[in-house]
Amino acid sequence: MNCQELLHILEKGEDSRHQFKEKFNSIDNLTVEISAFANTDGGEIIIGGSNDGKLTGLSKKDVDRFNQWIANATTHKIDKPIFAKTKILICEGKRILIVHVPQGLNKPYVVNRTDVWGKVGADKRWAPIEEVLRLAQTSGLVYADEMETSAIFDDFDLEFFEKRYQKFYQKELGQLDVPVSKVIE
């Protein structure tokens, strides 16, 4: 991204891929923003830009502090690590920090061991349990067709299964060269 691209993004306004912040007052607020992007499609946090499309800029001290916060947030405050990249632009004489957050591969990313956040349009929201489960499923952590049970093979309705199997596959279950217990597993 260069200054012309940044100014164009600021002019268009926030969306599901771009969040503008003049500054962050706490590492926790920054952590929530990063995790929300990682739990959805990724995006960029533009620090030193305002919602009304203006460049507000940051001091060098601000940039140093935010870089430290980003490192701490992505390795200590979010469970699993996120590898965010930062870039500093000087536009119109103002220092802007751009944080690129990739789409996470190990969703859900949990903040402070309890909260999961996601992006909805330009906003972030706390994810309900159904959304957390969906995120876990997209990462391969949970499979909808696998569930622990205390049932044993004798509890299984074999007659019902044989009828369904025959209807679906158009052949008898007894024609298989595999034991029925293996088919059911």
Side-chain angles (χ1 to χ4, degrees), residues 19 21 24 26-45 47 66-75 77-78 80-86 99-104 109-111 117-119 124:
Q19 185 74 40
K21 295 292 181 184
F24 281 95
S26 77
I27 188 173
D28 289 329
N29 292 341
L30 176 61
T31 302
V32 166
E33 293 291 343
I34 291 171
S35 69
F37 275 118
N39 278 326
T40 49
D41 296 327
E44 294 175 319
I45 304 168
I47 309 173
F66 294 142
N67 270 317
Q68 185 64 48
W69 283 5
I70 292 163
N72 286 335
T74 57
T75 57
K77 294 184 103 7
I78 299 173
K80 303 164 206 93
I82 297 171
F83 299 102
K85 296 178 183 175
T86 61
V99 183
H100 175 76
V101 181
Q103 177 178 352
Y109 291 90
V110 181
V111 175
W117 296 84
K119 294 287 285 179
K124 65 186 169 307

Side-chain angles (χ1 to χ4, degrees), residues 85-100:
K85 296 178 183 175
T86 61
K87 181 176 185 174
I88 300 169
L89 291 177
I90 306 291
C91 300
E92 299 177 358
K94 296 181 178 163
R95 187 176 289 107
I96 309 298
L97 178 62
I98 299 166
V99 183
H100 175 76

Side-chain angles (χ1 to χ4, degrees), residues 120-158:
V120 177
D123 295 325
K124 65 186 169 307
R125 70 175 171 89
W126 180 80
I129 189 66
E130 296 83 6
E131 181 72 10
V132 174
L133 292 172
R134 188 190 63 75
L135 289 170
Q137 188 174 10
T138 63
S139 294
L141 298 173
V142 174
Y143 299 96
D145 59 346
E146 294 181 10
M147 197 168 15
E148 290 290 325
T149 179
S150 61
I152 59 174
F153 185 75
D154 291 339
D155 295 332
F156 192 71
D157 187 346
L158 189 57

